[in-house]
Amino acid sequence: MNQASIDLGTNTCLLLVCQKGVEQGISASQVLVDLARVVRLGEGVDRTRVFQAAAMERVLQALREYAEVLKTFQLSPQDVVCVATSQARDARNSAEFFARVKSETGFVFQTLSGNEEARHTFLGALLPGMDANASVVVDIGGGSTELIS
């Protein structure tokens, strides 16, 4: 079964497509596609508190490309887990932009809180067999930094 996610950060828009399965009784994933586009959605947000028109267009173009890639795996935008991070928390026009994203591309984004972003980053960074209680993860992003243990 194929699964996909999009991580829209302050600077990048990441697409991951995996094939989930079971190997020797253990759940396993094989990466089919791992794409990154520098979209700089957070350009100027720290100063203006709004997404800029050019930045929004760069994101929409990347998402249109990603929708085409997903078709090759029989996935649609509605099948994808889509999250946005720091810049989406900070921009006053975030809700309007993501309504436009949904209307034009079909992707539905959830904006993660800082704590949710840190939790997901921590869980995603742990390798099989690692002790979560003995691990620390530092995520230096374009708009925020998380230190998680």
Side-chain angles (χ1 to χ4, degrees):
M1 174 169 96
N2 295 335
Q3 295 180 320
S5 64
I6 295 176
D7 176 354
L8 180 57
T10 300
N11 291 308
T12 59
C13 185
L14 311 174
L15 171 66
L16 183 66
V17 180
C18 292
Q19 182 178 49
K20 298 273 298 179
V22 177
E23 274 185 31
Q24 299 175 358
I26 299 172
S27 178
S29 296
Q30 176 184 358
V31 174
L32 302 174
V33 173
D34 188 358
L35 297 176
R37 298 284 184 271
V38 177
V39 294
R40 295 182 12 249
L41 180 59
E43 177 184 22
V45 170
D46 57 336
R47 195 175 11 73
T48 65
R49 293 293 181 232
V50 295
F51 293 138
Q52 305 302 304
M56 292 186 286
E57 288 305 320
R58 290 189 298 265
V59 171
L60 288 165
Q61 181 57 40
L63 293 175
R64 288 182 195 105
E65 291 173 20
Y66 288 174
E68 291 301 313
V69 170
L70 291 167
K71 286 180 187 177
T72 66
F73 297 98
Q74 291 75 49
L75 292 169
S76 69
Q78 297 80 11
D79 299 323
V80 181
V81 174
C82 302
V83 297
T85 56
S86 176
Q87 84 298 339
R89 294 190 295 268
D90 296 341
R92 288 191 308 263
N93 59 343
S94 184
E96 297 93 296
F97 174 62
F98 287 110
R100 181 178 171 200
V101 165
K102 180 180 179 184
S103 170
E104 293 185 23
T105 69
F107 291 110
V108 177
F109 276 82
Q110 173 191 357
T111 299
L112 299 178
S113 70
N115 286 338
E116 290 171 322
E117 182 179 354
R119 182 177 157 277
H120 288 293
T121 298
F122 181 76
L123 293 174
L126 293 178
L127 297 173
M130 289 180 72
D131 181 1
N133 294 317
S135 300
V136 175
V137 174
V138 178
D139 176 21
I140 301 173
S144 65
T145 299
E146 291 81 30
L147 175 66
I148 316 104
S149 65

